Each structure stands twice: as C-alpha cells, then as structure tokens.
C-alpha cells in the first residue's frame, strides 16, 4: 500500500495517529512522519512503511546499556535504589528484583525506606518473604536517609551482596520530597562508589507525556542510571520511552509484565518496538 | 503551562489584525499540538479542533482585530462545555446504607481515595464504613484499616470472603446492624485487559444495588485512558470518576478525553497523599488547569 506512487493525506494522518496513540508524543510523531515523507519523495523505492518505522524506532534504543551494574566490582556491596511517583510499582518491582537476584545466587536485603505511607513496610515485608530474602525495615516516620544509611552498614556487617532500597512514592513537583530523595542518594553515595550504585526510576507504561517531566525532575536529584517500565502487560505501548531515551540517554533495564514475583523481564528493544509497529 | 503556550501562539498573531483562513488553520495546528502534549486523546483533539474551526472561520472572528484572542476564547469555551456545567455530587440516596464502589487500574489511588472519601463524608455528618475487598495485593486490607483508624472511621473485612460480592453482602448487613449510612468499597486494582478480573467486578455490580460506581483514574494516564474508560464502561458502567494525582502537575488531559468520550461526570479530584487532599470537582477550575 505504501509503496505505490500516491499516498493519501489520510494515510499520513493515520500513521501520525498511531504514533500519538502509542504515547510517543505529538512533536516526535510529527517529526517521524515528516522524515518518512521526505524520504519517500527522494527515494523512488517503495519499501514497507512498517519496516522503515521499526528500524527507525529501534535506532533510538540501540547502544543502550541494559545490564544491571555493568561496571561494578562484584566483590563489593552493590545498591539498587528505586524511585518514582506514587503508585507506579516500586514496591512490587523491588520484590521482583530481590527474587531475580536471589535466583542468581546473590545475598539480598530488601530495605523499606518508605516510612510514610500506610502499610508500606507490611507490603514490602510480604515481598521479602516471597523472595525469601532478608528484610530491613525503617520505623514509621523515620528519616529515609537514616534508614538507608543504617541498612547499608547492616548489609556490610551481614555479608550481603546487594541492597535493594524501596523509597516512598512522591510527586515530582514537590520540592520537599525531591530534596528528601536527593538526601537519600547523597547518603548512599557516601557509602558506596558510583559503579556500585544502580539508581532506577520506575515509570508506569500507561503514563502519558507527564513521564517526561517525571524523568526531568527526578534525574536532577537522583543520579539516575536507568529506568524500569512497569505494567507493560496493560498493552499500553510506553512510547514515552523514546523521548526519554533521546533526551536523557537513560537505558530501560527491566519491564514489569504483571503482579507476580516472576513478572519482570529484561528490556528487549526489538520486542518493545514490534509491539508498537505491528 | 498551557495558558502560556496559548498566549505565545496568539502573540504571533497580534501584529496581523485580520486573519485569513490559512492563518486560522496555522493557529489551530499549534493549539492541536499543545492539547496533544497534555495527553488529550487524539480523536478528542480532532473533534475539538474541528468544532473550534467551525466557529473560528466565521466572519465575526476573521473580521475582528484580535482574532487570535477570539479563537483562544472559543477553545476555552469548548473545553468548558466538555467538562460540564456545575460540580456534581455523590448520589447518597436515602437508601440505607448507600454504596459507593471504587474501581480502577493498579496504583491509581483507590485505597487512599477510599480513606479520603470516608473522612470527607464524616465531616459532613455521615457515618461511613470502609470496606476492603482486595484479597490480592499484599497488605491491602491493612492499608485501608490504617487509613480508617487514622480518621476514626469504621472498617469492615470478611477474612474468609473470596469475592467482592461476598464481602459487600456481608458489609451491607454489618452496616445495617451498626446504623452506618454510607459504605465505601475499595476493590483490587485491575487492568482493562484482565477479563476475569473485570468479570469479577461485573458480578458485583449486576447482583448488588450500588448507588455509585466510580472509576478512579490517575491524572498522568496517557492515550490509553480512553480505552480503559470504554472497557470499564462495558463491564461495570461507572456512574462517575475520581481523578487522582492532579497535584503531580499533570494537566488532566486524560480527564478531558474521558469526559468527552463517555459523558461521565468527574466527582472529585485527588490533590495529594494526605487524607484531606480531596476536592470536589469544579469544571471551571479544571478547565483553567488544562488551559494552564
Ligand atoms: N499489571 C501490573 N501491575 C503491576 C505491575 N507492577 C506493579 N503493579 C501493581 O501496581 C500496584 C502498585 O504497586 P506498588 O508496588 O504498590 O507501587 P508503588 O510505586 O510502590 O506505590 P507507592 O509506594 O504507593 O508510591 C499494585 O497493585 C501492583 O500489584 C506490573 O508490571 N503489571
Ligand atoms: N501525589 C498524590 N498521590 C496520591 C494521590 N492519591 C493517591 N496517591 C498515592 O498513590 C499511591 C497509590 O495509592 P493506592 O491508594 O495504594 O492505589 P490503589 O489504586 O489502591 O492501588 P492498588 O490497590 O494496588 O490498585 C500511594 O502512594 C498514594 O499515597 C493524589 O491525589 N496525589
Ligand atoms: Mg511502594
Ligand atoms: Mg488499593
């Protein structure tokens, strides 16, 4: 269809609509459609539009470091810090990562640094039981920075190899909560060297363009090293990832695909793009 | 902010005086981009821009000295129309007790909102009962119990209850016994693609008389919001919506989309994590929020 001479205006609109509805964002959608139109004018070859789009979107995502701790020393303590706005899936993801690393033979401790929300520590404790790993809890209302500090020292004393810190959900426009997160990151950096820290922002795949401002605000305070995209089983395309990767160069490391402990998979660019294009 | 972006658009036109149809189209193109960036659904933007264009290419605008401002005013007007005239209230009928059930996607804020609604109603002289039917999420019942305790509200749980229907039936009896007049039912989060979980909700709404079934929706939801709303409508036919996390600066474009597509009234907005941070939805306030 797209290899014939004349492409109707509606067909270009359809392509733009499909990109926007995948949450890629209007400016990027317009950009992609215009690029494709220019290419078609200059090259007389037909070619399959889906193939072009697939390859184009994939270029945004290649050269992404998707491994956890790519440069860490495995003999020293490593810390995973999870941050993100309210309800995106941080606590659940912390449990899933704990399980994943335990299966790999790591000595894991799950740290409840959400000392604010109702039943946050009870929720994470259940996940620690499910993942069969140690649980370090902060007392209600305790300063999250202090909890993280104590937990890392406790991990060193206990001979743990990985500390997974679950933080409280926060609005990325709340200055106090951003300052609180900044403090948690500063405390962590005092205790472990940069390659030993994986600071991951958790984003809900159903989120729209707001995800971009979430990354922008939180990247400023949390020294982010990567992203985890949750609820991809919702069939939302998570297209905001392209803007995020292009603007911030942050790799997506894992994808949440359900509410169970095994429902966390490594990010696969081909599969992600295929779900948008085909 | 949207108002700034709109202002920038018509700043370009200030020096032009009268507008040609092409110039109107150029302004509408910019307005369209701004709405899409606020997560208003593609189809809703298309209809909205078409309606604005219809009014904007009239003589009245093209011959005005401030055509840009007129177009923006028309856009404002059409947005306000979509959001509805006045604030709509909860249907707490004289049925004793009245039932308000909260449904929605995982993490949208149902449990927290249940607590907020309880406190809100208590302040207005009602005697609410908070009920948890979430048997799936770790510590979900505990979360609602703690919220109830925090606001000195009654809490009900049926430990052996497996389905929301069983729990709601037992809660009805409990509320009657205790003379409580509003039962606020928290349900487990579920995706619009989880058929069996939707079926579980459908069973509840078809077998019990419920005064309100409210879709609790995260204001940061993107283009998928419309699909979510349509699926929930087919399955449980909500009587309204509560939009949460409005404080995270999300422009509520999802709300505009869903209201435009479903005609559902938005009853409340969540503007923070604290139990007091629930506001009655005011269409004009949300319109000015969407517009910047
Ligand atoms: N379908 C699906 N649900 C998920 C996924 N990840 C998390 N959830 C659900 O999302 C809801 C919120 O998860 P939480 O882990 O409590 O989210 P959170 O970010 O810790 O929330 P706060 O701490 O309150 O900010 C729960 O019902 C989870 O089961 C996922 O990948 N898929
Ligand atoms: N900033 C902000 N956070 C909110 C608002 N409403 C709820 N939250 C937070 O959002 C997160 C998720 O809230 P929950 O009440 O656990 O959501 P839920 O829909 O019950 O989640 P599931 O039961 O897992 O589906 C919590 O951290 C709440 O404090 C709001 O209006 N603004
Ligand atoms: Mg949490
Ligand atoms: Mg809940």
């Amino acid at each position: 269809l797209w290899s014939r001479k004349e492409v109707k205006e509606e067909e270009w609109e359809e392509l733009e609509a499909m990109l926007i509805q995948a949450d890629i964002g209007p400016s990027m959608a317009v950009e992609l459609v215009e690029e494709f139109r220019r290419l078609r004018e200059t090259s007389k070859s037909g070619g399959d539009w889906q193939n072009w789009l697939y390859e184009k979107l994939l270029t945004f995502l290649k050269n992404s470091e998707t491994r956890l701790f790519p440069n860490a020393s495995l003999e020293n303590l490593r810390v995973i810090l999870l941050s993100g706005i309210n309800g995106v899936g941080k606590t659940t993801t912390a449990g899933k990562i704990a399980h994943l690393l335990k299966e790999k033979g790591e000595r894991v401790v799950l740290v409840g640094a959400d000392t604010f929300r109702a039943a946050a520590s009870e929720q994470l404790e259940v996940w620690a039981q499910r993942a069969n790993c140690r649980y370090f809890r902060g007392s209600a209302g305790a300063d999250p920075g202090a909890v993280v500090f104590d937990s890392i020292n406790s991990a060193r004393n206990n001979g743990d190899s990985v500390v997974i810190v679950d933080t409280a959900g926060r609005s990325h426009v709340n200055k106090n909560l951003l300052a609180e997160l900044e403090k948690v990151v500063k405390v962590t950096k005092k205790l472990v060297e940069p390659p030993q820290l994986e600071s991951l922002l958790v984003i809900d795949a159903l989120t729209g363009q707001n995800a971009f401002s979430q990354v922008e605000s939180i990247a400023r305070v949390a020294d982010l090293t990567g992203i985890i995209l949750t609820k991809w089983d919702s069939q939302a395309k998570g297209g905001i990832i392209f803007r995020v990767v292009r603007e911030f160069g942050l790799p997506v490391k894992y994808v949440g695909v359900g509410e169970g402990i095994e429902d966390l998979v490594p990010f696969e660019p081909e599969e992600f793009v295929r779900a948008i294009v085909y | 902010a949207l108002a700034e972006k709109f202002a920038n658009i018509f700043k370009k036109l200030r020096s032009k005086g009268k507008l040609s149809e092409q110039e109107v189209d150029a302004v509408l193109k910019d307005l369209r981009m701004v709405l899409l960036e606020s997560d208003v659904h593609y189809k809703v933007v298309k209809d909205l821009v078409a309606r604005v264009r219809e009014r904007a290419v009239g003589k009245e605008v093209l011959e005005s000295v401030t055509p840009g401002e007129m177009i923006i005013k028309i856009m404002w007007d059409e947005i306000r129309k979509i959001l509805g005239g006045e604030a709509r209230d909860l249907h707490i009928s004289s049925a004793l007790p009245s039932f308000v059930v909260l449904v929605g996607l995982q993490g949208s804020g149902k449990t927290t909102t249940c607590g907020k609604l309880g406190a809100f109603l208590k302040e207005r002289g009602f005697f609410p009962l908070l009920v948890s039917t979430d048997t799936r999420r770790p510590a979900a019942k505990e979360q609602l119990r703690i919220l109830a305790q925090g606001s000195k509200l009654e809490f009900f749980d049926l430990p052996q209850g497996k389905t929301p229907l069983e729990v709601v039936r037992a809660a009805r009896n409990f509320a009657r016994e205790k003379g409580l007049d509003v039962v606020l039912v928290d349900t487990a989060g579920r995706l619009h693609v989880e058929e069996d979980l939707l079926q579980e909700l459908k069973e509840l709404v078809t077998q019990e008389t419920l005064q309100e079934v409210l879709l609790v929706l995260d204001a940061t939801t993107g283009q998928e919001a419309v699909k979510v709303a349509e699926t929930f409508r087919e399955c449980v036919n909500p009587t309204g919506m509560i939009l949460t996390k409005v404080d995270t600066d999300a422009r509520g474009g999802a709300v505009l989309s869903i209201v435009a597509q479903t005609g559902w009234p938005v009853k409340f907005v969540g503007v923070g994590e604290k139990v007091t941070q629930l506001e009655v939805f005011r269409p004009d306030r949300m319109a000015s929020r969407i517009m910047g």
Side-chain angles (χ1 to χ4, degrees), chain B residues 13-28:
Chain B
L13 304 171
R14 274 254 162 79
S15 52
K16 287 188 179 255
K18 289 188 184 179
L19 283 186
S20 68
E21 273 204 35
Q22 286 94 327
E23 284 168 318
V24 168
D25 279 333
V27 174
L28 291 180

Side-chain angles (χ1 to χ4, degrees), chain A residues 86-102:
Chain A
N86 307 80
V88 293
K90 299 174 293 298
T91 304
T92 307
T93 302
K96 292 172 179 178
I97 296 177
H99 171 70
L100 200 123
L101 294 179
K102 272 241 44 186

Side-chain angles (χ1 to χ4, degrees), chain A residues 6-127:
Chain A
E6 282 306 311
V7 177
K8 300 201 213 81
E9 198 55 40
E10 298 91 66
E11 287 170 299
W12 290 121
E13 276 191 26
E14 270 174 49
L15 177 59
E16 191 193 65
M18 168 215 177
L19 292 172
I20 289 177
Q21 286 175 48
D23 281 316
I24 279 180
S27 4
M28 194 178 266
V30 164
E31 216 178 288
L32 287 168
V33 172
E34 287 184 352
E35 177 173 344
F36 191 19
R37 288 180 92 141
R38 279 198 308 274
L39 273 171
R40 265 190 51 87
E41 275 157 30
T42 56
S43 87
K44 290 289 170 271
S45 74
D48 171 13
W49 69 271
Q50 278 176 314
N51 205 21
W52 177 83
L53 184 62
Y54 176 85
E55 293 299 332
K56 176 72 192 173
L57 289 178
L58 212 52
T59 60
F60 284 107
L61 303 178
K62 64 179 184 347
N63 300 330
S64 240
E65 178 53 87
T66 55
R67 294 168 303 162
L68 275 186
F69 297 117
N71 305 310
S73 130
L74 299 182
E75 284 107 47
N76 296 332
L77 188 68
R78 278 155 287 147
V79 178
I80 296 175
L81 194 60
L82 298 178
S83 59
I85 70 162
N86 307 80
V88 293
K90 299 174 293 298
T91 304
T92 307
T93 302
K96 292 172 179 178
I97 296 177
H99 171 70
L100 200 123
L101 294 179
K102 272 241 44 186
E103 298 270 282
K104 291 208 172 125
E106 302 278 3
R107 259 178 88 99
V108 179
V109 57
L110 262 178
V111 178
D114 179 353
T115 53
F116 166 75
R117 208 208 67 210
S121 40
E122 288 84 338
Q123 183 188 5
L124 188 63
E125 187 162 24
V126 172
W127 283 107

Side-chain angles (χ1 to χ4, degrees), chain A residues 226-245:
Chain A
I227 290 184
I228 297 188
L229 189 71
T230 59
K231 307 180 199 170
W232 197 62
D233 49 315
S234 65
Q235 296 179 13
K237 302 295 187 280
I240 27 102
I241 286 301
F242 297 101
R243 262 186 91 192
V244 167
V245 170

